[in-house]
Amino acid sequence: GGDAMGEKVFTQERMQGLQELQRGLLINGFRHLRPGGTLIYSTCSFAKAQNDDVVQWLLDSEPLARASPIPLKEHAPCREGDPGHMM
């Protein structure tokens, strides 16, 4: 079933590897910003380890990094509970 597939794809080792990859991509992008530049970090994952945790890691690692929320339309398809949101 679907659980077996999920276990094969999202093992702890795989998730750690993806998180390390995301951190590397994010820090590289951040370090190449011009002063006052904006970096948008977006993934195709709903995994906290690849999203919120990676952003928090950058904020903890880089004193000049700041997070600014991006306002979404009221019915953006990626909001939890909306038809476009899938886990």
Side-chain angles (χ1 to χ4, degrees):
D3 288 341
M5 177 63 173
E7 289 173 11
K8 289 178 185 175
V9 175
F10 295 107
T11 64
Q12 186 66 24
E13 282 181 356
R14 177 77 174 139
M15 188 60 71
Q16 286 177 328
L18 290 170
Q19 187 180 49
E20 288 175 22
L21 173 65
Q22 295 295 349
R23 285 179 175 183
L25 293 168
L26 185 59
I27 195 73
N28 189 46
F30 180 78
R31 289 182 177 162
H32 282 87
L33 281 176
R34 291 182 180 173
T38 299
L39 174 67
I40 297 177
Y41 176 72
S42 176
T43 72
C44 60
S45 173
F46 286 104
K48 184 177 179 284
Q50 291 182 50
N51 293 305
D52 300 26
D53 292 352
V54 172
V55 171
Q56 189 60 54
W57 171 83
L58 178 72
L59 295 173
D60 293 343
S61 302
E62 293 291 334
L64 296 177
R66 301 285 182 272
S68 300
I70 298 173
L72 297 175
K73 294 183 179 180
E74 187 175 324
H75 296 288
C78 60
R79 292 181 59 172
E80 190 170 346
D82 286 349
H85 184 269
M86 301 183 318
M87 293 297 277

